[in-house]
Amino acid sequence: MDFLKNSFIFLSILPFFPFLLVYFIHYRWKHNKKASLKAAMDVTTLFLIISVSALFNLTFNSSFGFYLILLLLLIGVGLVGSAQNRLKGRVDVQKMAKLIWRMSFVIMSFSYLLFTIIGIVKYIFITMS
């Protein structure tokens, strides 16, 4: 059980490892780059959400990071669902979930890089003073 917990923690700290792992395994299995990229994005998003929430908590000395991400995801679901309802007259939950999940991959990847850089700069300034 400790191996699973430690593996999950490692993959959450470095979320580009599960991305590469899933991409290459899926590509060797299916030989489809586009499907491999989508599968890798879908798996990595979970690890990115955990990583970004932890980095947010460390950067701003709070415990609100995970709840903020959930709130933003719910707002996104509401906006996309409302747009779908206005345009098509119905909400396609599967398309909405895929759109939100893949958009959160892009936003979380950017946030991961941003908070990592902020954390490194913050650490350098704290140790220099």
Side-chain angles (χ1 to χ4, degrees), residues 55-95:
L55 287 170
F56 180 89
N57 291 343
L58 288 172
T59 303
F60 297 110
N61 282 338
S62 76
S63 60
F64 188 65
F66 184 72
Y67 301 113
L68 178 64
I69 291 171
L70 285 179
L71 177 66
L72 293 175
L73 287 173
L74 287 173
I75 290 171
V77 166
L79 291 173
V80 171
S82 174
Q84 277 187 351
N85 191 30
R86 274 182 286 150
L87 293 174
K88 297 181 180 179
R90 63 179 181 85
V91 176
D92 188 354
V93 177
Q94 187 175 5
K95 280 187 178 181

